[in-house]
Amino acid sequence: MGKCIGVLTAGGDSPGLNAAIRAIGKSALNAYNMQVIGFRDGFRGLMENRTVHLEGEILSGILTLGGTILGTSRDKPHKMPVGSKVQDMTEVMIDNYHRHNLEALICIGGGGTQKNAYRLFQAGVNVLTLPKTIDNDVAMTDVTFGFDTALSIATDAIDRLHSTAHSHHRIIVVEIMGHNTGWLGLGAGLASGADVILIPEIPYDVGQVAEAIRRRRHRGKNFSIVAVSEGALSREDARELAELKDKRQAARDEKKQKKVSAALAAFQANHASNTLRLSSQLESLTGLESRVTILGHLQRGGTPTAADRILATRLGTACAAAVVEQRFGRMVAVKGESTELVDLAEVVGKRKLVPLDHPWIKAALQTGACLGNNVLVG
Ligand code: F6P
């Protein structure tokens, strides 16, 4: 019998995960005569040794399915809730990896998963990873799979909001996912012609946003679409967050660390309602009625686009080849039309932000969108 490899999907689900699982499974079996087992629910399934053989029927008909047939979780190997305690379960995972006599473990996920996979690699596991997330924020890869589908869903949603905003002469503030990066918000805002696009990389001045909406009204446009990333911050909030992060860096003793952590948690809790706050600020600053739409997890669901299916299939097949070549401790990254293996050490602890000179930013400004901060851009 051929060698055996393990696969798991971790972190938030993303369209294209099943396409990647299928590609790994089919290419491992067909091209390299390797067996594949899947671990259920991310690192938790590896810890609890819950497996499924990925062969035949189970790999059939899943290319078009959203979500992940393996299930996922946000559990971390070194900080896993077990009973009433949070424990480091790395050794248990390594035992299970050896129990199946695995040649390699493929971890499919976003930034957090890359970090957790790297820890397992450092602990002796032959790890390879694939980059997936709707946020498109994984470092060292041009793009992640899941992003294109989420971008299409968010764009379609904003297209639909346009006609109702127009009919009621309203502002519609639409919140888009993306965690602390603006790829999804900027992309969907640009593709749908949003009038205002606010992303975390560009802290916004609410006065400038209101002014842009007022100017539109003077030109006879009594409605506006404001596309706001969930991680977007006003200038004041960005300043406060930066100060808190500095304090956390400087905190020496445990008491101070706890105090700053509590202040950061309070800041995050308050930020959860930022979009609602922005909507009512704009209502009072412009005199126009405003409504909020939070797209939320809709952006992660359903059928992956053709582009995501192709991308996940390319990455999955390249990953099976990397197992054969024994190129472990690496992420299979996208580089133009090709793929390349990048050391996980180069990936972890980084986040790919939207650069301020990105062509999407320039295009949004030149087509008249307000990005909320004339000082930083345009
Ligand atoms: O990372 C993907 C993502 O959808 C982010 O855009 C969002 O901030 C987060 O996950 C939501 O996480 P959860 O599904 O755990 O609520």
Side-chain angles (χ1 to χ4, degrees), residues 74 133-135 177-179 230 297 300:
R74 292 202 183 271
T133 162
I134 65 163
D135 304 337
M177 274 187 170
H179 199 216
E230 61 179 351
H297 292 80
R300 292 214 314 239

Side-chain angles (χ1 to χ4, degrees), residues 185-214:
L186 177 61
L190 186 58
S192 62
D195 309 297
V196 177
I197 304 172
L198 305 176
I199 63 173
E201 291 84 348
I202 307 174
Y204 63 85
D205 176 340
V206 72
Q208 281 185 33
V209 176
E211 180 53 26
I213 293 171
R214 279 195 298 263

